[in-house]
Amino acid sequence: MRIEIERPAGSEAAGLEAAFATLFSQTRALGFDAMIYDYTPVARSLEGELITPSLLQMRNVPEDMRQLWCERGYYQRDPVQHCALASCAPFVWSYQRPENSALQGKLDDHAQAVTHYMRDHDMPCGATVPLHLPNGGFGTLTGIITGAQPERELGDTLASLTFLAHRFQESAFPLFDASMLTCRHVKLSNRERECLAWSAEGLTAKEIARKLHRSVATVTLHLNTAARKLGATNRLQAVVRALHYRLLEGEQHGDN
């Protein structure tokens, strides 16, 4: 089967929407009934918890699924996502027959809510391609089958689904806007990020205040607020945590 990714014209937002429409059409051509794509610039928090994606596209799934995964913590409990993060190879999963799939031994109490949801909404099995990207970015493309289908038949689609996932990622990534490329686990203001960026370069609060034409007290307030949001106990730890979450990348020094 020949798979081609169309490069949409027009604005980036419209182009990305068109790209996902094409991707869904092509996953359906492989025999999948529903599709999920997710991307996050940082996969895990410093505490080891999965970070909710910056970009999540779901097609032909129940209406409440997005809210549950993004706002109710289902993404953090999703055993398919845990399997994907631990694997570089595509895999077949099944909630009906987990012993025959990558979910063997993974459906514990932590995953119970997700397991019941997938079974109750007739989404028992599918295939997932992990996308481990440069600079720590992580994404997955998942095709879902509604109704019963032998997992061995899904295995026949893995090569095509993998090719499709990587071609899509290469084509669509330039269309991602800045908000999609920013980790949403911690939200810092522009001034807090700027002060931390200067601190990462070794400047003291007094030196940062001179750079920004602000008082030392104001700069100290920004640094302390950023540290509190990051769960840091001191300025150095705040910088390290901000770097982990890629909050200082591309930070421009200058007056705002």
Side-chain angles (χ1 to χ4, degrees):
M1 176 181 179
R2 184 181 179 185
I3 300 174
E4 296 181 354
I5 300 293
E6 297 177 6
R7 186 139 184 120
S11 69
E12 290 186 354
L16 190 57
E17 182 64 26
F20 278 116
T22 300
L23 179 63
F24 180 45
S25 175
Q26 292 170 333
T27 55
R28 295 197 74 170
L30 294 177
F32 295 102
D33 303 304
M35 180 202 82
I36 298 176
Y37 169 88
D38 63 80
Y39 168 80
T40 179
V42 182
R44 288 187 185 273
S45 70
L46 284 163
E47 292 72 34
E49 185 175 82
L50 294 183
I51 293 176
T52 302
S54 298
L55 176 60
L56 179 63
Q57 284 279 328
M58 295 179 162
R59 299 297 173 98
N60 203 28
V61 300
E63 292 183 2
D64 63 344
M65 190 172 183
R66 176 184 293 276
Q67 181 184 25
L68 290 171
W69 259 251
C70 290
E71 301 175 18
R72 299 285 297 277
Y74 279 46
Y75 182 82
Q76 283 69 32
R77 305 176 194 176
D78 191 336
V80 170
Q81 291 298 330
H82 285 275
C83 287
L85 193 56
S87 174
C88 291
F91 56 89
V92 171
W93 49 266
S94 172
Y95 287 96
Q96 297 288 29
R97 292 180 287 274
E99 67 280 0
N100 297 329
S101 77
L103 297 186
Q104 183 176 9
K106 302 290 195 305
L107 303 187
D108 55 16
D109 291 342
H110 183 70
Q112 191 174 60
V114 174
T115 301
H116 289 327
Y117 184 91
M118 298 299 285
R119 289 174 176 170
D120 291 346
H121 289 80
D122 196 29
M123 297 186 289
C125 59
T128 295
V129 179
L131 296 164
H132 296 271
L133 305 169
N135 301 318
F138 176 70
T140 65
L141 175 62
T142 294
I144 299 173
I145 297 293
T146 58
Q149 177 167 330
E151 287 76 13
R152 63 179 179 273
E153 293 183 18
L154 286 180
D156 296 337
T157 70
L158 284 181
S160 295
L161 187 66
T162 300
F163 178 71
L164 178 59
H166 285 277
R167 283 290 303 275
F168 172 80
Q169 186 66 37
E170 180 182 1
S171 176
F173 190 76
L175 301 175
F176 289 8
D177 63 35
S179 67
M180 300 170 188
L181 300 174
T182 301
C183 180
R184 299 180 182 179
H185 187 66
V186 179
K187 296 182 179 179
L188 302 181
S189 71
N190 290 339
R191 188 62 81 183
E192 290 162 0
R193 291 175 59 188
E194 188 176 27
C195 289
L196 271 182
W198 282 119
S199 184
E201 294 185 15
L203 274 65
T204 65
K206 185 175 181 180
E207 292 169 331
I208 297 171
R210 190 178 300 118
K211 288 277 188 183
L212 301 180
H213 307 292
R214 297 291 188 274
S215 69
V216 175
T218 297
V219 169
T220 300
L221 176 63
H222 287 315
L223 289 170
N224 289 343
T225 301
R228 184 177 68 254
K229 289 179 179 179
L230 288 160
T233 57
N234 55 57
R235 199 166 297 171
L236 176 59
Q237 189 181 51
V239 168
V240 171
R241 285 177 170 259
L243 289 171
H244 171 80
Y245 293 121
R246 298 172 62 183
L247 297 175
L248 306 185
E249 293 183 9
E251 182 63 32
Q252 298 295 318
H253 302 314
D255 292 337
N256 293 334

